[in-house]
Amino acid sequence: MRALLVVNPAATTTSARTREVLTHALASDLKLEVAETKYRGHARDLAREATEGGETELVVALGGDGTVNEVVNGLLTNGPDPDSHPRLAVVPGGSTNVFARALGLPNDVVEATGALLDALRDRSERTVSLGLASGTPGSKDEGAPPRWFTFCAGFGFDAGVVGRVEQQRERGKRSTHALYVRQFVRQYLGEQNRRRGSVTLERPVGTSGATEVVEDLVMSIICNTAPWTYLGNRPIYPSPRASFDAGLDLFALGRLSAPAVARYGTQLLTSTPHRGPRGKHAVSLHDLTEFTLHSQAPLPFQMDGDHLGPRTSVTFTGVRRALRVIV
């Protein structure tokens, strides 16, 4: 099988020696080309070139969730076509690796490589759904280019936390779970809309053209799978029913007062695959095909842990059977 290995040399949990060993292991079973990323968006460009070239059958992403996201967007530059596009494989090298772990891969890079080689020999693969975020027609952001995400997106509070983490990483701080917790606290203390949010949800209901509207949301998390993320080794499930075999799930909160944070924070920390957070300020929707989130004032926006800057409106689409993954 002709394959391209896209390597992020800055991946958090891999060293040059580890990457060299993994490359040799993969090359024993694949006709392998190796490319290291050199700038933000390079993994997307490499995957797009591999797809358009027509000879590559498999693209392996060695890195964290950001690298995987770029590779996926390169593979799907011209839209989903799982029957003709190269397959995707993932070797986790980041600090959290949500997408790889949601697929059932080991979080250890060496063990994950062994699992990948076993899957290739057994010809084991699955087709997964993905989320697509686009600029909303008629809004200030209608010109924003569509972008795919593999496991989550966020509009509002949680995206602000991601943005703060990225700022700290640019200053040389390591991406750790403690760093996320500290930035959560800082984002909360600076949040002006804790008691009444500015996000509005609109989604079509039924076949009559009716629209459901939910206003005054302060935090909105869109999940394409479960869990949403990990705190250390603890999985967090705001939307336990989210699945790679369904559309998108939405979990939103209409209040972030101190009592609300204590209640929903505790529920998130104790969430399970069978029970997520609940309450009068919580909105939980399952298996959505399309919906829009918008705000009068620009709010932070993130996908797969990558902060994309402020937006006023985003339209989300759940696309089933979008990509084949070796697993």
Side-chain angles (χ1 to χ4, degrees):
M1 180 181 290
R2 184 183 294 273
L4 170 67
L5 173 62
V6 177
V7 178
N8 179 2
T12 307
T13 59
T14 63
S15 64
R17 176 60 178 165
T18 302
R19 293 191 292 271
E20 181 181 353
V21 171
L22 299 182
T23 299
H24 284 299
L26 293 172
S28 66
D29 280 31
L30 301 167
K31 188 174 182 180
L32 190 68
E33 177 186 353
V34 181
E36 289 193 354
T37 59
K38 302 184 185 304
Y39 54 85
R40 187 167 184 169
H42 194 190
R44 178 198 60 223
D45 296 341
L46 292 168
R48 182 187 68 245
E49 291 167 5
T51 302
E52 293 174 347
E55 296 182 351
T56 302
E57 301 170 79
L58 172 69
V59 177
V60 183
L62 171 53
D65 288 311
T67 302
V68 174
N69 179 278
E70 288 191 10
V71 168
V72 167
N73 275 276
L75 292 173
L76 275 65
T77 297
N78 297 315
D81 190 356
D83 293 329
S84 64
H85 286 175
R87 300 167 179 82
L88 170 70
V90 178
V91 178
S95 59
T96 310
N97 307 305
V98 179
F99 181 67
R101 294 162 82 175
L103 288 170
L105 293 171
N107 198 37
D108 178 81
V109 63
V110 176
E111 292 182 10
T113 302
L116 170 58
L117 291 172
D118 289 342
L120 287 169
R121 291 165 189 151
D122 295 339
R123 300 181 180 273
S124 176
E125 63 180 54
R126 64 177 295 189
T127 305
V128 300
S129 66
L130 294 173
L132 181 66
S134 311
T136 306
S139 73
K140 296 178 181 178
D141 296 308
E142 65 178 344
R147 180 161 170 171
W148 298 90
F149 59 96
T150 63
F151 67 92
C152 85
F155 184 59
F157 181 85
D158 88 292
V161 176
V162 171
R164 287 178 176 270
V165 170
E166 284 199 6
Q167 289 177 352
Q168 294 300 310
R169 293 186 66 182
E170 290 172 358
R171 295 170 184 170
K173 298 291 183 65
R174 292 186 66 245
S175 178
T176 63
H177 299 292
L179 177 62
Y180 275 89
V181 171
R182 289 196 300 272
Q183 300 314 310
F184 174 91
V185 173
R186 291 175 180 174
Q187 179 71 18
Y188 176 75
L189 294 175
E191 178 60 57
Q192 299 178 351
N193 302 309
R194 282 182 288 190
R195 293 190 173 276
R196 183 176 180 179
S198 61
V199 177
T200 298
L201 161 70
E202 295 183 0
R203 70 181 186 107
V205 180
T207 58
S208 64
T211 301
E212 178 186 14
V213 178
V214 181
E215 299 179 317
D216 303 331
L217 302 173
V218 65
M219 181 179 77
S220 51
I221 297 172
I222 301 92
C223 291
N224 186 49
T225 187
W228 163 54
T229 190
Y230 292 82
L231 187 60
N233 289 320
R234 181 189 293 275
I236 307 296
Y237 296 93
S239 299
R241 294 188 294 166
S243 167
F244 285 132
D245 298 317
L248 299 174
D249 279 29
L250 172 71
F251 173 75
L253 289 176
R255 181 170 295 185
L256 279 179
S257 61
V261 168
R263 174 176 182 172
Y264 295 113
T266 300
Q267 290 183 358
L268 280 170
L269 290 174
T270 58
S271 59
T272 71
H274 308 290
R275 188 174 180 84
R278 60 228 168 263
K280 65 179 181 179
H281 301 301
V283 176
S284 296
L285 299 172
H286 174 59
D287 195 11
L288 303 179
T289 299
E290 185 172 343
F291 60 96
T292 295
L293 297 173
H294 59 84
S295 170
Q296 290 186 349
L299 294 176
F301 176 54
Q302 67 89 11
M303 290 198 296
D304 287 347
D306 186 9
H307 187 257
L308 300 181
R311 299 280 182 90
T312 56
S313 184
V314 186
T315 295
F316 297 91
T317 306
V319 181
R320 290 172 171 81
R321 297 185 57 80
L323 185 68
R324 287 187 300 172
V325 182
I326 301 296
V327 66

